[in-house]
Amino acid sequence: MKISQAVIPFGGCFTTDSESQKNSKLVFVGLPDDQQSSYLQGCAQAPDKIRYAYDGYCYNSTTESGIDLAKAVVDLGNWLPKSSGELTAQSYYEKAQSLFRDGKIPFFAGGDHAVTIPIATALDVLDQPVHIVQIDAHPDIYPELGGNPYSHACVASRLLEYEHIASITQIGIRTMNRVQKEVVNKFRNRLHLLPARELSEKLPSLLHIPTGAPVYLTIDLDGLDPAFAPGVSHPVPGGLSSRQVLNLIQQARWNLVGMDVVELNPNRDVNNQTAILAARLLHEGMGYAGSGIIQK
Protein backbone atom coordinates (compact mmCIF):
# COMPACT_ATOMS: atom_id res chain seq x y z
CA MET A 1 0.00 0.00 0.00
CA LYS A 2 1.43 3.39 -0.99
CA ILE A 3 1.57 5.74 1.98
CA SER A 4 2.04 9.50 1.70
CA GLN A 5 4.95 10.83 3.74
CA ALA A 6 2.63 13.55 5.06
CA VAL A 7 0.41 11.08 6.91
CA ILE A 8 0.65 11.06 10.71
CA PRO A 9 -0.17 7.48 11.71
CA PHE A 10 -2.81 6.71 14.32
CA GLY A 11 -3.77 10.24 15.25
CA GLY A 12 -0.30 11.12 16.49
CA CYS A 13 -0.41 8.61 19.35
CA PHE A 14 2.76 6.75 18.33
CA THR A 15 6.12 7.73 19.79
CA THR A 16 9.53 7.55 18.14
CA ASP A 17 11.39 8.69 21.27
CA SER A 18 13.72 5.94 22.46
CA GLU A 19 13.13 6.61 26.17
CA SER A 20 9.35 6.63 25.72
CA GLN A 21 9.53 3.43 23.72
CA LYS A 22 11.35 1.79 26.61
CA ASN A 23 9.02 2.96 29.36
CA SER A 24 5.54 3.12 27.82
CA LYS A 25 3.10 0.41 28.87
CA LEU A 26 0.82 0.93 25.85
CA VAL A 27 1.90 -0.88 22.69
CA PHE A 28 0.35 -1.36 19.26
CA VAL A 29 0.95 -4.46 17.15
CA GLY A 30 -0.28 -5.41 13.68
CA LEU A 31 -1.18 -9.05 13.06
CA PRO A 32 -1.42 -9.28 9.25
CA ASP A 33 -2.57 -12.88 9.06
CA ASP A 34 -5.71 -14.32 7.46
CA GLN A 35 -4.61 -17.92 6.90
CA GLN A 36 -7.57 -19.18 8.93
CA SER A 37 -10.28 -17.22 7.11
CA SER A 38 -13.04 -19.51 5.88
CA TYR A 39 -14.59 -17.31 3.19
CA LEU A 40 -12.62 -14.33 1.87
CA GLN A 41 -9.00 -13.27 2.19
CA GLY A 42 -8.08 -9.65 2.76
CA CYS A 43 -7.80 -9.17 6.53
CA ALA A 44 -4.02 -9.45 6.30
CA GLN A 45 -4.03 -5.97 4.74
CA ALA A 46 -5.84 -4.44 7.71
CA PRO A 47 -3.10 -3.36 10.19
CA ASP A 48 -1.54 -0.74 7.92
CA LYS A 49 -4.96 0.49 6.81
CA ILE A 50 -5.87 1.04 10.47
CA ARG A 51 -2.61 2.87 11.18
CA TYR A 52 -2.83 5.29 8.27
CA ALA A 53 -6.56 5.80 7.73
CA TYR A 54 -6.61 7.31 11.23
CA ASP A 55 -4.44 10.17 10.00
CA GLY A 56 -3.26 12.69 12.57
CA TYR A 57 -4.08 15.56 10.24
CA CYS A 58 -7.74 14.58 10.55
CA TYR A 59 -7.92 12.90 13.97
CA ASN A 60 -6.21 14.04 17.15
CA SER A 61 -4.57 12.10 19.94
CA THR A 62 -7.09 12.87 22.69
CA THR A 63 -9.86 10.39 23.46
CA GLU A 64 -13.48 11.34 24.09
CA SER A 65 -12.89 11.00 27.82
CA GLY A 66 -10.04 13.52 27.67
CA ILE A 67 -6.96 11.28 27.77
CA ASP A 68 -4.25 12.72 25.52
CA LEU A 69 -2.19 9.87 24.09
CA ALA A 70 0.14 12.04 21.99
CA LYS A 71 3.38 10.07 21.60
CA ALA A 72 2.29 7.72 24.39
CA VAL A 73 1.98 4.47 22.42
CA VAL A 74 4.80 2.34 21.06
CA ASP A 75 4.18 0.89 17.60
CA LEU A 76 5.93 -2.48 17.51
CA GLY A 77 5.18 -2.90 13.81
CA ASN A 78 3.65 -5.99 12.24
CA TRP A 79 4.29 -9.51 13.41
CA LEU A 80 4.52 -11.21 10.03
CA PRO A 81 2.93 -14.64 9.60
CA LYS A 82 5.07 -17.72 9.17
CA SER A 83 4.80 -20.44 6.53
CA SER A 84 1.91 -22.20 8.28
CA GLY A 85 -0.93 -21.39 10.63
CA GLU A 86 0.65 -23.53 13.34
CA LEU A 87 4.01 -21.73 13.17
CA THR A 88 2.29 -18.34 13.05
CA ALA A 89 0.24 -19.13 16.16
CA GLN A 90 3.34 -20.30 18.03
CA SER A 91 5.18 -17.11 17.09
CA TYR A 92 2.27 -14.91 18.18
CA TYR A 93 1.93 -16.83 21.44
CA GLU A 94 5.59 -16.42 22.37
CA LYS A 95 5.76 -12.73 21.45
CA ALA A 96 2.51 -11.92 23.25
CA GLN A 97 3.70 -13.79 26.34
CA SER A 98 6.79 -11.61 26.38
CA LEU A 99 4.65 -8.43 26.28
CA PHE A 100 2.33 -9.58 29.06
CA ARG A 101 5.29 -10.73 31.15
CA ASP A 102 6.89 -7.29 30.82
CA GLY A 103 3.73 -5.57 32.06
CA LYS A 104 2.78 -4.12 28.68
CA ILE A 105 -0.84 -3.55 27.65
CA PRO A 106 -0.97 -4.57 23.97
CA PHE A 107 -3.49 -3.40 21.39
CA PHE A 108 -3.62 -5.66 18.34
CA ALA A 109 -4.93 -4.90 14.87
CA GLY A 110 -5.87 -8.10 13.02
CA GLY A 111 -5.93 -10.12 10.88
CA ASP A 112 -8.78 -12.58 11.01
CA HIS A 113 -10.26 -13.58 14.35
CA ALA A 114 -8.07 -16.67 14.66
CA VAL A 115 -5.18 -14.42 15.73
CA THR A 116 -6.98 -14.01 19.06
CA ILE A 117 -6.40 -17.67 19.94
CA PRO A 118 -2.62 -17.50 20.52
CA ILE A 119 -2.81 -13.98 21.99
CA ALA A 120 -5.43 -14.89 24.60
CA THR A 121 -3.66 -18.20 25.25
CA ALA A 122 -0.54 -16.19 26.11
CA LEU A 123 -2.45 -14.57 28.98
CA ASP A 124 -1.55 -17.70 30.95
CA VAL A 125 1.70 -15.93 31.85
CA LEU A 126 -0.27 -13.57 34.13
CA ASP A 127 -1.03 -16.50 36.46
CA GLN A 128 -4.55 -15.31 37.19
CA PRO A 129 -8.00 -15.93 35.71
CA VAL A 130 -8.79 -13.60 32.81
CA HIS A 131 -12.23 -12.75 31.44
CA ILE A 132 -12.75 -12.41 27.68
CA VAL A 133 -15.30 -9.90 26.38
CA GLN A 134 -16.10 -10.58 22.74
CA ILE A 135 -18.04 -8.28 20.39
CA ASP A 136 -19.16 -10.40 17.44
CA ALA A 137 -22.00 -11.33 15.14
CA HIS A 138 -20.82 -14.94 15.36
CA PRO A 139 -20.19 -17.01 18.49
CA ASP A 140 -17.09 -18.55 16.83
CA ILE A 141 -17.73 -21.70 18.79
CA TYR A 142 -17.62 -24.45 16.17
CA PRO A 143 -15.58 -27.42 17.44
CA GLU A 144 -13.93 -27.33 14.00
CA LEU A 145 -14.81 -25.95 10.59
CA GLY A 146 -13.92 -27.87 7.46
CA GLY A 147 -11.62 -30.07 9.50
CA ASN A 148 -9.76 -27.07 10.94
CA PRO A 149 -10.05 -26.61 14.73
CA TYR A 150 -8.13 -23.31 14.52
CA SER A 151 -10.40 -21.60 12.02
CA HIS A 152 -11.56 -18.07 12.82
CA ALA A 153 -14.94 -19.71 13.43
CA CYS A 154 -13.53 -21.73 16.36
CA VAL A 155 -11.99 -19.01 18.55
CA ALA A 156 -14.27 -19.38 21.59
CA SER A 157 -14.14 -23.19 21.47
CA ARG A 158 -10.37 -23.14 21.72
CA LEU A 159 -10.17 -20.50 24.45
CA LEU A 160 -12.72 -22.30 26.64
CA GLU A 161 -10.31 -25.23 26.75
CA TYR A 162 -7.86 -23.19 28.86
CA GLU A 163 -8.20 -22.97 32.64
CA HIS A 164 -6.87 -19.40 32.83
CA ILE A 165 -9.87 -18.17 30.79
CA ALA A 166 -12.37 -17.54 33.58
CA SER A 167 -15.26 -16.66 31.28
CA ILE A 168 -16.19 -15.48 27.82
CA THR A 169 -18.93 -12.89 27.39
CA GLN A 170 -20.23 -12.60 23.82
CA ILE A 171 -22.13 -9.46 22.85
CA GLY A 172 -24.10 -8.95 19.64
CA ILE A 173 -24.45 -12.59 18.59
CA ARG A 174 -26.97 -13.19 15.81
CA THR A 175 -25.87 -16.32 13.91
CA MET A 176 -26.25 -19.15 16.43
CA ASN A 177 -27.03 -22.59 14.98
CA ARG A 178 -27.56 -26.11 16.30
CA VAL A 179 -23.92 -27.23 16.15
CA GLN A 180 -22.70 -24.18 18.03
CA LYS A 181 -25.54 -24.36 20.54
CA GLU A 182 -24.31 -27.82 21.57
CA VAL A 183 -20.92 -26.36 22.51
CA VAL A 184 -22.63 -23.48 24.33
CA ASN A 185 -24.52 -25.98 26.48
CA LYS A 186 -21.26 -27.75 27.31
CA PHE A 187 -19.62 -24.58 28.63
CA ARG A 188 -22.70 -22.82 29.98
CA ASN A 189 -21.07 -22.09 33.36
CA ARG A 190 -18.27 -20.03 31.73
CA LEU A 191 -20.01 -18.63 28.66
CA HIS A 192 -22.35 -15.62 28.79
CA LEU A 193 -24.35 -14.85 25.65
CA LEU A 194 -25.95 -11.49 24.90
CA PRO A 195 -27.74 -11.89 21.54
CA ALA A 196 -28.18 -8.71 19.54
CA ARG A 197 -31.97 -9.02 19.43
CA GLU A 198 -32.15 -8.92 23.25
CA LEU A 199 -30.04 -5.78 23.67
CA SER A 200 -31.32 -2.28 24.29
CA GLU A 201 -29.57 0.92 23.26
CA LYS A 202 -27.59 0.88 26.51
CA LEU A 203 -25.57 -2.31 26.76
CA PRO A 204 -25.62 -4.23 30.06
CA SER A 205 -22.93 -3.46 32.63
CA LEU A 206 -21.67 -7.08 32.68
CA LEU A 207 -21.97 -7.33 36.45
CA HIS A 208 -20.96 -11.01 36.37
CA ILE A 209 -17.38 -9.77 35.78
CA PRO A 210 -15.96 -8.59 39.13
CA THR A 211 -14.96 -4.93 39.35
CA GLY A 212 -11.25 -4.61 38.61
CA ALA A 213 -10.96 -8.10 37.16
CA PRO A 214 -8.47 -8.61 34.32
CA VAL A 215 -10.29 -8.47 30.98
CA TYR A 216 -9.12 -9.01 27.42
CA LEU A 217 -11.42 -7.32 24.89
CA THR A 218 -11.72 -8.78 21.40
CA ILE A 219 -13.81 -6.94 18.82
CA ASP A 220 -14.76 -8.65 15.59
CA LEU A 221 -15.91 -5.74 13.46
CA ASP A 222 -18.83 -7.72 12.06
CA GLY A 223 -20.32 -7.48 15.54
CA LEU A 224 -21.26 -3.96 14.56
CA ASP A 225 -24.06 -3.35 12.11
CA PRO A 226 -22.86 -3.14 8.48
CA ALA A 227 -24.12 0.46 8.45
CA PHE A 228 -21.21 1.28 10.77
CA ALA A 229 -18.73 -1.35 9.60
CA PRO A 230 -19.24 -2.30 5.94
CA GLY A 231 -15.66 -3.46 5.44
CA VAL A 232 -15.94 -7.02 6.73
CA SER A 233 -16.07 -10.40 5.04
CA HIS A 234 -19.20 -11.57 6.86
CA PRO A 235 -21.62 -8.63 7.27
CA VAL A 236 -24.74 -9.48 9.29
CA PRO A 237 -27.56 -6.91 9.59
CA GLY A 238 -28.99 -6.08 13.01
CA GLY A 239 -25.73 -5.46 14.84
CA LEU A 240 -24.40 -2.99 17.37
CA SER A 241 -23.80 0.71 16.79
CA SER A 242 -20.39 2.32 17.10
CA ARG A 243 -21.80 4.42 19.96
CA GLN A 244 -22.85 1.32 21.92
CA VAL A 245 -19.39 -0.23 21.65
CA LEU A 246 -17.57 3.01 22.49
CA ASN A 247 -19.76 3.45 25.57
CA LEU A 248 -19.03 -0.13 26.64
CA ILE A 249 -15.30 0.58 26.54
CA GLN A 250 -15.50 3.97 28.23
CA GLN A 251 -17.84 2.87 31.03
CA ALA A 252 -16.12 -0.41 31.86
CA ARG A 253 -15.10 -1.38 35.40
CA TRP A 254 -12.28 -3.71 34.37
CA ASN A 255 -8.54 -3.96 34.43
CA LEU A 256 -8.02 -4.01 30.66
CA VAL A 257 -4.97 -6.21 30.08
CA GLY A 258 -5.15 -6.18 26.27
CA MET A 259 -7.42 -5.71 23.29
CA ASP A 260 -7.72 -6.60 19.65
CA VAL A 261 -9.86 -5.42 16.74
CA VAL A 262 -10.08 -7.99 13.97
CA GLU A 263 -11.74 -8.94 10.68
CA LEU A 264 -11.38 -5.64 8.83
CA ASN A 265 -11.30 -6.51 5.14
CA PRO A 266 -10.06 -3.39 3.31
CA ASN A 267 -11.18 -4.88 -0.01
CA ARG A 268 -14.79 -4.48 1.15
CA ASP A 269 -14.51 -1.16 2.95
CA VAL A 270 -16.14 2.12 1.91
CA ASN A 271 -14.01 5.29 2.16
CA ASN A 272 -11.96 3.65 4.94
CA GLN A 273 -15.05 3.88 7.18
CA THR A 274 -14.40 0.57 8.92
CA ALA A 275 -10.65 1.12 9.20
CA ILE A 276 -11.26 4.46 10.92
CA LEU A 277 -13.78 2.85 13.26
CA ALA A 278 -11.29 0.10 14.11
CA ALA A 279 -8.68 2.71 15.00
CA ARG A 280 -11.20 4.70 17.02
CA LEU A 281 -12.12 1.66 19.09
CA LEU A 282 -8.46 0.88 19.76
CA HIS A 283 -7.80 4.53 20.61
CA GLU A 284 -10.58 4.59 23.20
CA GLY A 285 -9.36 1.29 24.63
CA MET A 286 -5.88 2.76 24.97
CA GLY A 287 -7.36 5.79 26.71
CA TYR A 288 -9.27 3.61 29.14
CA ALA A 289 -6.21 1.49 29.91
CA GLY A 290 -3.95 4.51 30.17
CA SER A 291 -6.25 6.70 32.26
CA GLY A 292 -4.40 5.86 35.45
CA ILE A 293 -0.92 6.50 34.06
CA ILE A 294 -1.47 9.44 31.68
CA GLN A 295 -2.61 12.88 32.77
CA LYS A 296 -5.76 14.35 31.24
Side-chain angles (χ1 to χ4, degrees), residues 18-85:
S18 58
E19 191 65 24
S20 296
Q21 290 182 341
K22 178 181 178 181
N23 296 325
S24 178
K25 293 185 65 174
L26 305 178
V27 299
F28 178 98
V29 181
L31 303 178
D33 181 57
D34 57 11
Q35 296 177 79
Q36 308 294 356
S37 294
S38 62
Y39 177 49
L40 295 176
Q41 309 301 126
C43 294
Q45 305 170 38
D48 281 344
K49 276 291 187 183
I50 291 170
R51 280 186 180 90
Y52 296 108
Y54 204 57
D55 183 359
Y57 284 110
C58 184
Y59 305 95
N60 67 54
S61 58
T62 302
T63 67
E64 284 190 351
S65 53
I67 306 298
D68 188 355
L69 295 174
K71 300 182 179 180
V73 181
V74 180
D75 182 5
L76 298 180
N78 293 338
W79 293 352
L80 299 179
K82 305 299 183 181
S83 58
S84 69

Side-chain angles (χ1 to χ4, degrees), residues 216-227:
Y216 183 88
L217 176 61
T218 177
I219 299 179
D220 184 327
L221 288 163
D222 66 31
L224 288 96
D225 193 88

Side-chain angles (χ1 to χ4, degrees), residues 212-289:
V215 165
Y216 183 88
L217 176 61
T218 177
I219 299 179
D220 184 327
L221 288 163
D222 66 31
L224 288 96
D225 193 88
F228 300 93
V232 297
S233 298
H234 303 265
V236 183
L240 305 179
S241 71
S242 54
R243 184 72 267 159
Q244 283 177 300
V245 180
L246 287 166
N247 285 350
L248 179 74
I249 295 170
Q250 295 163 351
Q251 298 168 12
R253 305 166 294 100
W254 318 318
N255 171 23
L256 187 65
V257 296
M259 173 180 174
D260 65 54
V261 176
V262 298
E263 295 286 347
L264 165 65
N265 188 336
N267 298 331
R268 317 242 314 171
D269 208 359
V270 179
N271 297 325
N272 286 333
Q273 177 180 334
T274 316
I276 293 166
L277 172 60
R280 188 68 177 180
L281 296 171
L282 288 164
H283 189 186
E284 292 297 322
M286 293 170 183
Y288 176 82

Side-chain angles (χ1 to χ4, degrees), residues 28-149:
F28 178 98
V29 181
L31 303 178
D33 181 57
D34 57 11
Q35 296 177 79
Q36 308 294 356
S37 294
S38 62
Y39 177 49
L40 295 176
Q41 309 301 126
C43 294
Q45 305 170 38
D48 281 344
K49 276 291 187 183
I50 291 170
R51 280 186 180 90
Y52 296 108
Y54 204 57
D55 183 359
Y57 284 110
C58 184
Y59 305 95
N60 67 54
S61 58
T62 302
T63 67
E64 284 190 351
S65 53
I67 306 298
D68 188 355
L69 295 174
K71 300 182 179 180
V73 181
V74 180
D75 182 5
L76 298 180
N78 293 338
W79 293 352
L80 299 179
K82 305 299 183 181
S83 58
S84 69
E86 182 178 0
L87 290 174
T88 299
Q90 183 62 30
S91 173
Y92 287 179
Y93 171 76
E94 293 171 357
K95 291 178 179 179
Q97 260 205 337
S98 179
L99 292 180
F100 292 128
R101 185 182 294 114
D102 290 344
K104 304 298 185 183
I105 307 174
F107 293 82
F108 298 98
D112 67 38
H113 210 165
V115 301
T116 302
I117 299 174
I119 300 301
T121 303
L123 290 163
D124 61 356
V125 76
L126 298 180
D127 291 326
Q128 58 181 320
V130 178
H131 299 267
I132 305 292
V133 174
Q134 174 186 348
I135 304 291
D136 211 324
H138 312 86
D140 291 348
I141 203 162
Y142 285 103
E144 53 82 24
L145 189 70
N148 179 11

